[in-house]
Amino acid sequence: MKNILLVIVALLLTTSCRTGSEAGDKPVISVSIIPQQYFIEQLAGNLVEINVMIPPGASPATYEPTVSQLSRLDRSRVYFRIGYVGFERSWMDKICSVNPDMKIVDLSEGVEIIEEDTVARGDHNGHGHHGTDPHIWMSTINARIIARNIRNELLLLLPGKKEYLLERFDQFSLSLDSLHLAITNKLEGIENRKFMIYHPALTYYARDYGLVQLSLEIEGKTPSPAHLMKMTDFSIHNQISKILIQNQFDHKNAEVLAKETGSEIIQFDPLDLQWSEQMRYIAEQLNPSNQ
């Protein structure tokens, strides 16, 4: 009997503490990838708490959330999905079941999506990606749409902060315009607009700035020796001097190709919290001579 009473008291204390803390807490917004945190912080400042599901260094294509991560969804008012990453396709039903009252908002709404057939043909300057290209955030043009979608939801979530939210949205929009212009100017005049990349994460970036992305990875699979040989010949013939690779991927095959062709390996991180710096960094690496 004593043990039962202790359990009841513990449950009451837990409920009381949770209710009291939640009443004074900021609204919690859950997201899939770290760059979404950047966008939300630009628009909401410190008005909300952000719960990122995919931690630094993990792949959005294969990551499986822990039990503790799923439990943190219980307090989330909104889940901003980025759109088409493998994590969301595999786990969205489970995420929704954890907190049925949590609103799901798709930030890809309104984005011109690059589909499998256009990527396979090389339209939009993308190559070798199987299915819908999920990397919509790697585009200043798409970022404007993503920001607008976030703004609209924040206005519903925080109606008393309308003036503040609209002001921050206007400021962020101006910064995106400035970033887009800076990248455009940086890449202006490149004679060879082709670059090699291990995993085709820059399809939208290439589309925005008239570049040609050539992928070593085919349909998410490690390149075969035959494909590596083919890409080596292509790289030499087309005088491609840059091979980009994400921090999250094995560098071995890229290093083999670089050694055979004399190309430079450039590491970048499309999942970095400092999104704008990464976007600018890519342009600087692709055309370091244009100061």
Side-chain angles (χ1 to χ4, degrees), residues 83-95:
Y84 297 93
V85 295
F87 169 79
E88 293 173 346
R89 289 181 162 178
S90 299
W91 286 93
M92 213 64 224
D93 288 345
K94 179 63 175 178
I95 286 170

Side-chain angles (χ1 to χ4, degrees), residues 18-30 40-41 44-51 72-78 154 157-158 161 164:
R18 182 178 177 185
T19 303
S21 81
E22 286 185 356
D25 280 352
K26 303 171 185 177
V28 178
I29 296 175
S30 287
I40 295 170
E41 287 177 345
N46 62 357
L47 294 180
V48 299
E49 179 183 334
I50 304 168
N51 172 43
R72 286 199 293 272
L73 293 170
D74 183 55
R75 291 181 53 232
S76 294
R77 300 273 298 278
V78 180
L154 289 174
L157 187 64
L158 302 163
K161 300 294 183 179
Y164 174 81

Side-chain angles (χ1 to χ4, degrees), residues 2 12 16 28 30 40 68 82 143 166 182 191 194 213 228 233 241 245 251 263 265 276:
K2 182 179 179 181
L12 288 173
S16 174
V28 178
S30 287
I40 295 170
S68 62
I82 195 65
L166 291 178
E191 293 184 7
K194 299 183 180 70
Q213 171 186 253
L228 272 177
D233 292 341
S241 60
I245 186 165
H251 294 192
S263 300
I265 291 180
S276 63

Side-chain angles (χ1 to χ4, degrees), residues 39 135-144 146 176 204-205 207-209 275 279:
F39 295 133
H135 308 92
I136 65 167
W137 66 94
M138 296 304 293
S139 160
T140 53
I141 293 173
N142 291 350
R144 295 187 183 98
I146 292 170
L176 288 176
Y204 294 93
Y205 194 101
R207 177 200 64 186
D208 290 354
Y209 302 110
W275 173 85
M279 296 291 283

Side-chain angles (χ1 to χ4, degrees), residues 68-132:
S68 62
Q69 282 184 305
L70 290 172
S71 69
R72 286 199 293 272
L73 293 170
D74 183 55
R75 291 181 53 232
S76 294
R77 300 273 298 278
V78 180
Y79 192 106
F80 285 130
R81 62 177 297 167
I82 195 65
Y84 297 93
V85 295
F87 169 79
E88 293 173 346
R89 289 181 162 178
S90 299
W91 286 93
M92 213 64 224
D93 288 345
K94 179 63 175 178
I95 286 170
C96 292
S97 70
V98 171
N99 183 356
D101 295 327
M102 180 175 60
K103 185 176 181 180
I104 308 298
V105 177
D106 192 339
L107 297 183
S108 70
E109 186 70 32
V111 171
E112 182 183 350
I113 299 298
I114 298 177
E115 299 288 354
E116 175 186 6
D117 58 344
T118 59
V119 176
R121 293 197 309 267
D123 298 343
H124 295 300
N125 302 321
H127 297 257
H129 208 294
H130 181 65
T132 301

Side-chain angles (χ1 to χ4, degrees), residues 214-231:
L214 301 160
S215 175
L216 287 175
E217 185 186 78
I218 297 295
E219 298 183 358
K221 299 176 183 177
T222 302
S224 65
H227 181 63
L228 272 177
M229 185 177 298
K230 178 182 177 182
M231 296 305 287

